[in-house]
């Protein structure tokens, strides 16, 4: 709550955190998040105090604050409302609802009301595409927004009702598992995987994971056993385990469900990894939008400590010490990239590192670090408990097991689905109740746009791999709106480190705007294609490599939706440079040919 409402002081907050032993500069981001939560901004006195006590420059701290979307130097409202701006939320009417709330509270979107009671804005995606339209109120998730709920929220804000006293049903997030298969249906016994490691050893565990063909479930698909083996073989003073729970890909929410319903399995998998690589410390990097899961996760960790499954001498095995801390993100999609995540974990801006070296040999604190996502750790625990043959009983020869999908958009039953690898897109569409489907975006904004003539393709590493997002668009949708939404998303989320991505995402956005308003020409479409290919070849990390995918797929598979928006087939400038010089010509009194730019525009 706001400092005025709680009596907290940001300076005292930082003192209290330092007084509790938090002297590590790596905790900077967590300290800043705490100040933001209590004060709704990061005041100058807190920045100065942190600079002195942590031994960091003021410029460094300012750079961190500016990098993360949820940190601010200007005061936000006592109630900060952020509407999810993912395309599926927009399809469910989120923009009209945001305008309704802004009207009810007499505040403009993107601004804070003069009395500092409330501010309203948009955020990229809250991970609630199956239960949208959604928003965050002071970091807490509100789903299923309707005009009635908007009016209810407006009244609560005007009456200054503390968030803790708001009706509980406003914050209820449902599981919505629509289909279970091998993994979600299997029995889980806490400690079973750890006991097997204890009795059979590391070599057997790695062999089981290898036979099961387990790959990273975040989309890259790197061999899990190989990653763990490389980390274990790297000599170092410490090894670390990191769970990438920064599920920021638009349209993806499977990890949200797993964190909410299967957290114990996740901890089992992380602890198993620690036993294999010899780690004593692990982290769950929890995306800021999932802050509502923080307390339940902490309860799970405490329960496992009391069961002897976490902490010192796990399962009574002397020297097997391992514990897990939760690290909150602050609204930066790029932190889903594993090296950027580690930078963020160390309290810095989440800018991807130049690789090699890879995190598995030099990661957190420059020590060997395994970074896997939530689903991967859970699968590792379940394979160890049930065996490789069990996992390989479904799927394909090259892609054993199952894949969790977050399905949203134009279908009757959005939610979580578990399918064996090898399931066709046609079968998935039928299962979720999709009709008259125009296109499917698989793998989120960074994924691929699939046309109907590809619906017989299957989900598998040998055909179409995915991190888990599956967005459906029916024939009634303006597909260009989705492509434009994804393009603007990448411009906002680019970390700005490398020029091809920083400049390229901005130029793609401007070119798409020309298309959307009907001012583009054939030449503009050619430039979109050239620019997109250039970004794929020259960007430093995956964000730049994939930012143009929606445009390039759209141009290739749905050329008609672009051509229908063309104003003419001849070149039309995006910016009329000659016209912009008119004021200068008037001031100087010149209007000769030399005072004009040939061609007029660029």
């Amino acid at each position: 709550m706001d400092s005025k409402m709680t009596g907290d002081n940001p300076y005292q907050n930082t003192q209290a955190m330092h007084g509790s032993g938090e002297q590590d500069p790596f905790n900077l981001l967590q300290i800043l998040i705490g100040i933001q939560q209590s004060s709704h901004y990061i005041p100058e006195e807190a920045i100065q105090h942190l600079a002195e006590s942590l031994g960091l420059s003021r410029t460094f701290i300012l750079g961190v604050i500016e990098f993360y979307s949820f940190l601010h130097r200007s005061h936000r409202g006592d109630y900060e409302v952020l509407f999810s701006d993912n395309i599926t939320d927009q399809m469910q009417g989120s923009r009209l609802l945001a305008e309704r709330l802004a009207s009810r509270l007499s505040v403009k979107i993107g601004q804070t009301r003069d009395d500092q009671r409330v501010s309203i804005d948009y955020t990229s995606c809250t991970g609630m595409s199956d239960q949208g339209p959604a928003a965050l109120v002071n970091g807490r998730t509100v789903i299923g927004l309707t005009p009635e709920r908007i009016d209810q929220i407006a009244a609560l804000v005007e009456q200054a009702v503390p968030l803790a006293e708001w009706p509980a049903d406003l914050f209820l997030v449902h599981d919505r598992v629509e289909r279970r298969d091998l993994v979600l249906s299997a029995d889980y016994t806490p400690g079973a995987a750890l006991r097997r490691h204890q009795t059979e050893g590391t070599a057997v565990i790695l062999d089981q994971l290898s036979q099961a063909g387990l790959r990273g479930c975040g989309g890259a698909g790197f061999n899990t056993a190989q990653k763990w083996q490389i980390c274990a073989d790297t000599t170092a003073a410490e090894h670390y385990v990191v769970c990438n729970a920064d599920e920021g890909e638009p349209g993806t929410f499977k990890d949200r469900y797993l964190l909410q319903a299967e957290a114990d399995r996740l901890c089992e998998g992380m602890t198993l990894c620690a036993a294999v690589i010899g780690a004593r410390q692990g982290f769950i990097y929890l995306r800021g939008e999932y802050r509502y899961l923080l307390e339940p996760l902490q309860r799970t960790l405490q329960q496992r400590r009391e069961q002897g499954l976490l902490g010192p001498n796990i399962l009574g095995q002397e020297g097997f010490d391992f514990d897990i801390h939760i690290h909150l993100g602050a609204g930066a999609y790029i932190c889903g990239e594993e090296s950027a995540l580690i930078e963020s974990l160390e309290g810095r801006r989440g800018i991807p590192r130049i690789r090699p070296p890879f995190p598995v040999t030099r990661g957190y604190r420059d020590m060997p670090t395994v970074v896997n996502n939530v689903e991967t750790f859970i699968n590792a625990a379940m394979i160890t408990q049930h065996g490789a043959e069990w996992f390989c009983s479904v799927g394909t020869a090259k892609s054993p097991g199952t894949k969790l999908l977050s399905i949203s958009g134009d279908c009757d039953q959005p939610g979580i689905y578990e399918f064996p690898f090898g399931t066709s897109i046609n079968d998935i569409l039928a299962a979720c109740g999709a009709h008259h489907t125009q296109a499917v975006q698989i793998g989120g904004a960074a994924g691929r746009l699939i046309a109907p003539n590809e619906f017989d393709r299957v989900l598998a590493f040998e055909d179409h791999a995915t991190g888990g997002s599956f967005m459906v668009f029916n024939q009634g949708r303006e597909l260009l709106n989705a492509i434009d939404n994804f393009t603007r998303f990448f411009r906002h989320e680019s970390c700005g480190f490398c020029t091809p991505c920083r400049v390229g995402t901005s130029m793609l956005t401007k070119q798409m705007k020309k298309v959307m308003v009907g001012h583009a020409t054939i030449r503009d479409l050619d430039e979109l294609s050239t620019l997109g290919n250039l970004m794929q070849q020259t960007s430093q990390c995956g964000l730049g490599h994939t930012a143009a995918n929606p445009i390039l797929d759209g141009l290739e598979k749905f050329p008609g939706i672009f051509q229908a928006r063309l104003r003419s087939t001849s070149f039309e400038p995006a910016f009329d440079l000659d016209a912009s010089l008119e004021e200068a010509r008037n001031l100087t009194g010149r209007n000769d040919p030399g005072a004009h730019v040939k061609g007029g525009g660029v």
Side-chain angles (χ1 to χ4, degrees):
M1 300 302 293
D2 186 84
S3 58
K4 291 184 297 185
M5 302 167 72
T6 63
D8 289 340
N9 179 288
Y11 181 78
Q12 292 173 344
N13 284 344
T14 58
Q15 282 187 314
M17 296 185 81
H18 285 252
S20 64
E22 299 289 343
Q23 298 285 350
D24 191 340
F26 282 12
N27 286 323
L28 173 64
L29 179 58
Q30 303 306 286
I31 296 171
L32 291 173
I33 291 172
I35 296 172
Q36 178 71 44
Q37 282 283 318
S38 63
S39 305
H40 292 285
Y41 79 121
I42 313 293
E44 181 61 32
E45 63 178 350
I47 295 172
Q48 191 60 39
H49 172 70
L50 287 171
E52 295 171 359
S53 58
L54 295 178
L56 300 170
S57 73
R58 182 175 173 277
T59 303
F60 179 90
I61 296 173
L62 291 177
V64 172
I65 295 171
E66 295 297 329
F67 184 83
Y68 294 95
S69 296
F70 294 167
L71 303 179
H72 307 285
R73 293 189 64 201
S74 59
H75 201 292
R76 290 301 191 266
D78 298 343
Y79 299 90
E80 183 178 27
V81 185
L82 298 175
F83 281 82
S84 184
D85 205 31
N86 183 21
I87 184 63
T88 53
D89 286 277
Q90 290 186 11
M91 287 159 55
Q92 297 172 86
S94 61
R95 291 240 160 182
L96 288 176
L97 293 170
E99 291 169 5
R100 183 184 182 98
L101 184 62
S103 174
R104 293 284 187 276
L105 294 171
S106 301
V107 60
K108 292 183 178 179
I109 295 175
Q111 296 184 6
T112 300
R113 207 165 77 178
D114 290 343
D115 63 357
Q116 297 187 338
R117 171 66 60 82
V118 61
S119 56
I120 300 175
D121 210 337
Y122 295 108
T123 189
S124 296
C125 179
T126 57
M128 300 288 161
S129 298
D130 58 334
Q131 299 172 54
L136 301 174
V137 182
N138 290 2
R140 294 192 62 180
T141 302
V142 181
I143 64 163
L145 290 172
T146 61
E148 293 72 25
R149 282 200 160 196
I150 289 294
D151 294 346
Q152 183 183 18
I153 290 171
L156 291 166
V157 169
E158 290 292 21
Q159 295 164 20
V161 177
L163 218 58
E165 297 176 18
W166 284 26
D169 68 298
L170 280 175
F171 304 112
L172 187 62
V173 176
H174 307 287
D175 287 346
R176 297 196 75 160
V177 179
E178 298 291 338
R179 188 182 193 280
R180 296 175 186 271
D181 207 276
L182 185 75
V183 175
L184 294 186
S185 298
D187 294 333
Y188 160 69
T189 304
L194 303 181
R195 290 188 182 89
R196 185 169 186 193
H197 176 269
Q198 196 174 38
T199 55
E200 300 183 27
T202 291
V204 171
I205 300 303
L206 287 174
D207 184 59
Q208 282 292 301
L209 296 181
S210 181
Q211 288 186 35
L214 179 62
R215 302 200 212 184
C217 300
F222 192 82
N223 183 286
T224 302
Q226 187 179 354
K227 176 183 278 191
W228 291 17
Q229 182 75 69
I230 294 171
C231 190
D233 290 344
T234 303
T235 302
E238 298 285 351
H239 294 68
Y240 293 98
V241 179
V242 176
C243 173
N244 184 349
D246 191 57
E247 186 179 46
E249 193 65 50
T252 307
F253 44 86
K254 66 180 179 60
D255 287 350
R256 181 204 76 209
Y257 160 72
L258 294 173
L259 289 162
Q260 184 167 313
E262 306 292 353
D264 204 64
R265 298 189 190 201
L266 165 64
C267 296
E268 182 89 2
M270 292 180 67
T271 310
L272 176 70
C273 178
V276 169
I277 68 173
R280 297 187 298 172
Q281 181 65 63
F283 297 93
I284 297 174
Y285 188 103
L286 183 67
R287 71 180 301 218
E289 291 84 345
Y290 293 169
R291 186 184 180 87
Y292 77 100
L293 292 171
L294 181 59
E295 290 185 10
L297 284 171
Q298 287 172 333
R299 286 197 295 272
T300 298
L301 294 177
Q302 182 57 33
Q303 185 179 31
R304 287 184 67 86
R305 292 184 189 111
E306 294 168 358
Q307 294 171 338
L309 299 175
L310 208 58
N313 301 325
I314 293 172
L315 291 176
Q317 182 178 342
E318 188 172 350
F320 183 14
D321 306 332
F322 178 70
D323 212 329
I324 298 172
H325 290 272
I326 301 172
H327 179 101
L328 271 176
Y333 164 77
I334 189 61
C335 291
E337 197 275 344
E338 64 175 358
S339 67
L341 182 146
I342 289 172
E343 287 286 304
S344 181
L345 201 60
E346 295 178 348
R348 293 193 279 266
R349 295 182 296 164
I351 294 176
R353 296 176 177 176
I354 296 174
R355 300 182 295 177
F358 292 91
V360 71
T361 56
R362 287 179 58 186
Y364 181 68
R365 294 182 185 268
D366 254 359
M367 298 292 172
T369 304
V370 164
V371 182
N372 279 134
N373 80 344
V374 180
E375 188 180 359
T376 310
F377 280 123
I378 287 177
N379 282 351
M382 299 304 289
I383 289 168
T384 303
Q385 178 179 334
H386 293 281
E389 288 186 6
W390 164 80
F391 194 68
C392 294
S393 64
V394 299
T396 71
K398 294 182 178 179
S399 301
T402 64
K403 185 78 193 81
L404 290 190
L405 293 181
S406 320
I407 299 183
S408 61
D410 292 315
C411 59
D412 295 337
Q413 294 98 32
I416 305 293
Y417 290 74
E418 183 186 11
F419 288 103
F421 277 117
T423 303
S424 74
I425 294 171
N426 266 324
D427 287 344
I428 295 169
L429 289 171
C432 69
H435 312 284
H436 309 294
T437 302
Q438 176 184 190
V440 178
Q441 181 73 19
I442 300 180
R448 309 311 302 232
L449 191 61
I450 301 300
N453 63 357
E454 302 174 277
F455 287 175
D456 58 349
R457 292 180 61 181
V458 300
L459 293 186
F461 288 103
E462 64 270 28
D463 189 356
H464 199 99
T466 175
S469 171
F470 193 97
M471 288 185 276
V472 184
F473 302 97
N474 68 24
Q475 296 288 349
R477 298 293 178 187
E478 286 276 2
L479 201 53
L480 267 180
N481 288 337
I483 295 173
D484 183 53
N485 177 276
F486 296 151
T487 306
R488 287 185 284 109
F489 167 78
F490 284 120
R491 184 196 60 180
H492 179 265
E493 298 295 342
S494 172
C495 75
F497 178 76
C498 78
T499 303
C501 181
R502 182 181 66 251
V503 177
T505 52
S506 179
M507 292 180 68
L508 286 178
T509 305
K510 290 179 180 177
Q511 289 290 84
M512 275 302 298
K513 184 177 180 181
K514 279 186 72 175
V515 175
M516 298 302 291
V517 300
H519 286 178
T521 67
I522 287 290
R523 179 171 165 180
D524 291 302
L525 301 189
D526 291 341
E527 290 189 354
L528 273 171
S529 179
T530 301
L531 182 59
N533 285 306
L534 185 65
M535 288 176 61
Q536 288 184 335
Q537 297 166 18
T538 58
S539 295
Q540 180 186 343
C541 77
L543 191 150
H545 296 156
T546 57
N549 282 354
I551 292 176
L552 296 176
D553 282 346
L555 288 169
E556 177 189 349
K557 302 173 185 178
F558 301 91
I561 63 174
F562 288 86
Q563 292 163 359
R565 295 289 186 106
L566 298 185
R567 182 174 183 178
S568 68
T569 56
S570 59
F571 172 66
E572 178 176 320
F575 175 67
D576 192 340
L577 180 59
D578 186 66
S580 73
L581 295 174
E582 184 62 28
E583 184 178 358
R585 285 193 289 269
N586 291 334
L587 290 172
T588 59
R590 285 189 60 185
N591 198 22
D592 56 274
H596 288 267
V597 177
K598 187 178 181 180
V602 293

